[in-house]
Amino acid sequence: MEHIAPALLAWFYQNKRVLPFRTDPSPYHVWLSEIMLQQTRVSAAMPYYERFLAQLPTIADLAACPEEKLHKLWEGLGYYSRVRNLQKAARIVCEQYGGELPADYEALRGLPGIGDYTAGAIASISFGIPVPAVDGNVLRVFARLYNDDGNITDPAVKRKFTQWVVQHQPPDTPGDYNEALMELGALVCLPNGTPLCAQCPLAHLCGAHAAGTALTLPVKTKPKPRRVEQVAVALVKSPQGWLLQRRGETGLLAGLWQPVLWPETVFETADAMQQALAELGVQTAAPFALRGGSAAQPLPAAKHIFSHVEWQMAGWRFDAPAQPAPAGCVWADEQQLQAEYALPGAFKVYKKLMLNKE
Ligand code: SF4
């Protein structure tokens, strides 16, 4: 196939979105933006990106940031292992590379949370090193350009596509080329729905466009269906604030805060949940005596989708007298809920209740 770079780059320079990390593509900025964008749309990630850098302008600041603050800066973005790995890597960078990311693909690849794609993006965009950066967007573009129905979840197919990416990469502008491919995948060669071939600078070269097969490509194995898990949630309010519980140090949402909850549990009645709270050492007002005899308030059902599991949450809200928080829990007033404790997006509905309804 004729080289795609001239037409692709001409299109990119005319059409690329103005994004903060493009204005100043320092290695730290590119790294942070790529990690944020791994599971998050550009429009959702950008306010986080700006806030994060305002608070932690250097890699040394990131390395030294207290955990609670770090979680708070990431609150609502999800996939918190990303930010924990960012900090682990920042600490290594400070210890081994004087606080600056190394201009070396393999060294970047060796840092926590940095895989082939992110190392390729940083190396090519920030350091001008001619290496590929192949994500889902780029695989889709190449599956269509070459009209290749290989399964992109197969490592051998991914390697073959990566070789094609490399063959077309211009040595003088490797980063622009990688960015242009990602941008084409995000804006024109769309993942869901019909690609905008009429606007595509590569339409004259594209095999799938000629064959009318673009909508069937790329081929990939369907992910397994998600497991559904019932989760019981208690919102407990005392004069000291709302009761929050810290999650364990490992696993899903490690180290973050949540309302008191019981995984894989359904309580049939508010009484049963109240009993479970008492077993944790939390005294609550009798549910059926609340508000002059009315029942404990049922919480709205909520669900949250993680990559492998879907939580379906339900429970009640209780009033409680002032008392010490049990082990692993705190009472958080509104100000602390806002500024100190990071509650994952899974609890958005309940956080809103805690902040607005009292
Ligand atoms: S012509 Fe259409 S299918 Fe081919 S690369 Fe462009 S947008 Fe994608």
Side-chain angles (χ1 to χ4, degrees):
M1 182 186 294
E2 164 189 333
H3 267 263
I4 64 169
L8 177 69
L9 286 170
W11 170 85
F12 178 62
Y13 295 137
Q14 288 266 312
N15 294 281
K16 66 178 173 178
R17 289 167 292 179
V18 178
L19 298 170
F21 51 87
R22 287 194 174 140
T23 328
D24 178 7
S26 74
Y28 178 38
H29 293 174
V30 171
W31 176 33
L32 177 63
S33 65
E34 291 297 346
I35 298 295
M36 279 189 174
L37 291 172
Q38 273 170 14
Q39 318 278 353
T40 311
R41 282 174 296 110
V42 169
S43 57
M46 282 311 103
Y48 281 91
Y49 174 83
E50 309 260 14
R51 199 163 51 111
F52 198 96
L53 280 181
Q55 293 282 318
L56 306 174
T58 67
I59 293 177
D61 295 323
L62 168 58
C65 182
E67 187 187 30
E68 286 300 342
K69 181 175 171 184
L70 198 63
H71 284 163
K72 198 67 194 167
L73 286 169
W74 209 263
E75 185 184 33
L77 263 182
Y79 299 92
Y80 287 79
S81 57
R82 292 183 292 171
V83 72
R84 282 192 289 276
N85 278 332
L86 266 174
Q87 187 172 55
K88 270 191 218 159
R91 288 179 175 160
I92 294 172
V93 167
C94 288
E95 283 161 19
Q96 297 184 9
Y97 302 108
E100 298 295 339
L101 283 167
D104 179 311
Y105 175 83
E106 291 303 331
L108 289 166
R109 179 73 188 73
L111 292 168
I114 298 190
D116 294 341
Y117 166 75
T118 308
I122 300 168
S124 63
I125 297 169
S126 298
F127 296 118
I129 299 171
V131 285
V134 178
D135 68 352
N137 279 326
V138 176
L139 290 173
R140 181 173 62 258
V141 169
F142 273 80
R144 290 173 175 173
L145 272 177
Y146 280 82
N147 196 25
D148 190 306
D149 63 2
N151 185 332
I152 58 167
T153 48
D154 174 349
V157 171
K158 194 174 167 187
R159 274 197 299 278
K160 179 172 77 173
F161 285 20
T162 302
Q163 277 169 8
W164 287 335
V165 175
V166 171
Q167 280 167 21
H168 288 274
Q169 187 166 41
D172 48 341
T173 50
D176 288 355
Y177 167 78
N178 283 340
E179 275 198 89
L181 283 174
M182 298 171 211
E183 196 77 337
L184 189 76
L187 299 181
V188 178
C189 196
L190 303 174
N192 305 309
T194 312
L196 309 176
C197 302
Q199 300 171 26
C200 180
L202 306 180
H204 62 296
L205 300 169
C206 179
H209 181 52
T213 52
L215 273 177
T216 67
L217 298 172
V219 172
K220 55 183 162 183
T221 310
K222 280 212 171 97
K224 284 193 204 140
R226 285 189 193 89
R227 185 169 61 84
V228 172
E229 181 178 335
Q230 304 298 325
V231 176
V233 177
L235 292 192
V236 183
K237 175 80 192 291
S238 82
Q240 303 141 282
W242 293 95
L243 189 60
L244 298 182
Q245 186 180 47
R246 192 167 195 270
R247 291 183 64 83
E249 290 304 323
T250 55
L252 190 66
L253 307 177
L256 295 159
W257 294 88
Q258 62 187 17
V260 178
L261 66 75
W262 294 263
E264 298 185 47
T265 302
V266 175
F267 290 111
E268 296 298 336
T269 63
D271 279 336
M273 182 175 272
Q274 187 183 33
Q275 180 60 35
L277 282 167
E279 283 163 20
L280 285 177
V282 183
Q283 302 301 317
T284 51
F288 294 102
L290 280 172
R291 288 182 171 68
S294 66
Q297 290 170 293
L299 296 173
K303 73 173 181 181
H304 189 78
I305 293 173
F306 299 95
S307 47
H308 303 300
V309 64
E310 174 180 326
W311 276 5
Q312 296 187 349
M313 294 172 278
W316 284 269
R317 173 216 186 279
F318 296 86
D319 282 330
Q323 61 194 292
C329 295
V330 291
W331 294 104
D333 62 25
E334 187 177 324
Q335 203 273 331
Q336 290 169 313
L337 262 174
Q338 297 271 30
E340 256 178 65
Y341 297 107
L343 260 72
F347 306 111
K348 197 165 55 185
V349 170
Y350 302 126
K351 185 174 178 186
K352 227 169 151 184
L353 276 176
M354 290 190 257
L355 289 175
N356 295 341
K357 298 277 167 128
E358 289 293 317

